[in-house]
Amino acid sequence: MSDATVPIDRRGLLGLSAAAVIAAATPVRALARSPFLWGAATAGHQIEGNNVNADIWLLEQLKPTLFVEPSGDACDSLNRWREDVALVRALGLNCYRFSVEWPRIEPAEGQFSQAYLDHYRRMIDHCRAQGLAPIVTLNHFTTPRWFAARGGWEAADAPELFARYCDRVARAMAAGMSHAVTFNEPNLALGGPWSRNPPDAKARAAMAALTRAAAKASGSDRFSLLNAGDPAPMIPGVLRAHQLGRAAIKAVRGNLPVGLSLAISDDVAAVPDSALAAKRRAVYEPFFDAARDDEFIGVQTYERTYMGRERAIAPPATVPRRADGKPWEPEAIGGSIRYAHQATGKPILITENGIETDDDTERARFIPAAVAAVDAARRDGVPVIGYIHWSLLDNFEWFGGYRPKFGLVAVDRTTFKRTPKPSARVLARLARGGSAR
Ligand code: BGC
């Protein structure tokens, strides 16, 4: 199945006031004063390998599946994480964003793995020892298989279960984190209906068949995960889980900056009576509300979206194009961070921005143009605390398997040898200079 019809793949789917800043005065001001964060991001399931207790691992293994290939060994980062940290350091970046995997830490309900808590704590300690700020995501799409099989985010006690997991993680390693991100793009699936090609009946039926098969394989009557089904009944649980998870982390370490990362395209009105405001109300604003006590908003941007009357429409013919005909709009990140700040009053941490391309010269051109747009927003007063590129490594791109390339660093699929691409040096140069200028 092409990723154009699969909701979990980005390319397939794809206010608050200034008083909020004053309310949260101390940590927010302190954040705005910290050195600018330059980093690269990864996510556990996409790089570690053999995440066998994850909901998505099961979906990959089913026959038939919608995944072009299973994640398998991924980049073997479960064993090679020190190499990954060394790469980030060698590039002269000052932070590394990665996720801890709930399916490893709580492989069976209520059973926590001290060994994996120790593992991730070692990663955090090692980042610190190497002079890197560890930015830790607690949920990057994957949940434990048992969690999905008991109803996922639709189960009444899901927020409490997530908060219990956050408490365990915080007690084991919050001391070393520089920032905690509860959820990665919990709003991604909400964007589907607003996209140019909303998932059609056939795509929805295929996804429903896959989750039915997963339920059967798990001896359950349901198997529920975000990005694989109707998100509407899941979102209230996710919003509450963010707040309870945040509270659990704060109870352990009150001064740790906590936020969530949202998929925010640079939405622009393409017609006078566009659906821009309606999309914002549906896709972003519930999360901005849930984040009102957070110290920052994590923004992840991959595109500009031209909003028509009901949903996105084709970009105008005047938009510059890449060799393959896709729009070339690296400055989209400037628009999304301006919006996220204006809507919330919060400091912005760019937790992901990047480009899918086999041609690394495109990435090498993309990065300075994107950073220039960030610089311009900063000059206009948007408090941006960091730019974290997606991704450090070519990795498992969900439904698309290993074909799509987002990495600053290539990974040999057999030897796992890492080879930095020229674009990595471009980011390194910008990080050394402090801006695109
Ligand atoms: C996700 C990543 C993904 C990237 C590129 C984001 O939606 O957080 O996991 O690999 O975009 O598609």
Side-chain angles (χ1 to χ4, degrees):
M1 184 163 197
S2 87
D3 55 353
T5 51
V6 175
I8 200 169
D9 184 285
R10 163 186 300 287
R11 262 129 294 280
L13 275 179
L14 320 165
L16 305 175
S17 69
V21 178
I22 295 155
T26 315
V28 169
R29 282 197 194 131
L31 269 188
R33 278 199 308 267
S34 306
F36 194 77
L37 292 162
W38 290 95
T42 59
H45 190 77
Q46 295 179 267
I47 64 164
E48 289 177 347
N50 302 299
N51 194 16
V52 298
N53 287 311
D55 48 8
I56 293 180
W57 175 275
L58 173 60
L59 299 189
E60 295 161 18
Q61 296 297 323
L62 291 169
K63 292 188 178 55
T65 181
L66 298 173
F67 287 77
V68 304
E69 57 190 322
S71 52
D73 285 328
C75 303
D76 192 30
S77 289
L78 194 61
N79 298 306
R80 293 167 198 261
W81 58 270
R82 282 190 184 79
E83 286 179 49
D84 300 339
V85 173
L87 285 164
V88 179
R89 187 191 152 126
L91 292 176
L93 306 177
N94 61 6
C95 74
Y96 179 36
R97 175 182 176 228
F98 59 94
S99 76
V100 295
E101 279 297 309
W102 187 6
R104 294 193 199 277
I105 290 174
E106 192 178 358
E109 185 173 349
Q111 292 178 31
F112 289 87
S113 162
Q114 190 58 48
Y116 275 117
L117 288 167
D118 291 347
H119 164 81
Y120 289 117
R121 190 201 165 116
R122 277 195 296 277
M123 281 184 72
I124 288 173
D125 291 349
H126 185 67
C127 284
R128 287 285 184 192
Q130 297 297 308
L132 299 174
I135 299 184
V136 178
T137 311
L138 285 97
N139 174 276
H140 196 120
F141 294 154
T142 41
T143 66
R145 178 173 167 173
W146 59 261
F147 181 81
R150 70 195 288 297
W153 300 108
E154 295 174 68
D157 57 351
E160 281 75 15
L161 292 176
F162 182 68
R164 180 174 68 175
Y165 154 68
C166 289
D167 166 67
R168 289 300 184 106
V169 171
R171 280 194 279 136
M173 61 198 95
M177 294 180 193
S178 82
H179 299 68
V181 176
T182 56
F183 281 92
N184 179 77
E185 298 191 346
N187 67 331
L188 181 63
L190 290 176
W194 302 93
S195 66
R196 268 178 77 191
N197 302 304
D200 59 12
K202 198 168 146 226
R204 286 199 303 272
M207 189 60 83
L210 189 63
T211 50
R212 264 199 314 278
K216 190 164 170 225
S218 306
S220 170
D221 58 354
R222 55 190 177 159
F223 198 84
S224 171
L225 64 160
L226 259 178
N227 303 320
D230 177 8
M234 308 180 198
I235 295 300
V238 172
L239 294 171
R240 187 161 160 72
H242 168 67
Q243 293 189 308
L244 294 189
R246 177 180 191 284
I249 297 166
K250 288 292 201 181
V252 175
R253 194 183 141 200
N255 67 352
L256 176 64
V258 180
L260 50 70
S261 286
L262 296 175
I264 306 186
S265 58
D266 179 19
D267 301 305
V268 296
V271 294
D273 48 353
S274 84
L276 177 64
K279 176 186 176 182
R280 287 179 167 172
R281 263 197 307 282
V283 179
Y284 313 123
E285 289 177 14
F287 291 89
F288 291 156
D289 279 347
R292 63 182 164 268
D293 295 327
D294 293 6
E295 280 81 13
F296 62 90
I297 302 286
V299 174
Q300 314 203 151
T301 301
Y302 288 86
E303 69 269 303
R304 177 169 290 146
T305 302
Y306 293 86
M307 292 305 297
R309 235 187 256 163
E310 282 166 15
R311 64 174 68 90
I313 58 175
T318 48
V319 165
R321 302 279 164 171
R322 295 159 59 177
D324 62 3
K326 289 185 192 149
W328 171 260
E329 296 175 305
E331 67 284 358
I333 184 69
S336 59
I337 59 178
R338 285 170 196 265
Y339 160 65
H341 173 63
Q342 167 266 317
T344 63
K346 303 270 182 198
I348 302 299
L349 177 57
I350 298 163
T351 40
E352 287 184 24
N353 176 239
I355 181 171
E356 178 198 335
T357 180
D358 290 341
D359 174 2
D360 189 59
T361 64
E362 281 193 332
R363 185 172 294 100
R365 284 191 294 126
F366 176 92
I367 293 171
V371 171
V374 175
D375 276 347
R378 292 171 74 190
R379 278 195 301 272
D380 289 343
V382 178
V384 184
I385 58 179
Y387 176 86
I388 303 176
H389 194 78
W390 182 271
S391 178
L392 178 66
L393 305 176
D394 283 340
N395 61 34
F396 180 69
E397 183 55 31
W398 307 112
F399 286 97
Y402 292 97
R403 286 178 207 162
K405 304 280 187 268
F406 281 89
L408 297 163
V409 175
V411 180
D412 185 286
R413 297 279 346 116
T414 310
T415 64
F416 306 111
K417 185 175 183 305
R418 279 94 163 116
T419 309
K421 305 176 189 176
S423 59
R425 283 187 278 282
V426 172
L427 181 63
R429 183 167 42 77
L430 292 173
R432 268 200 311 277
S435 81
R437 287 160 284 153

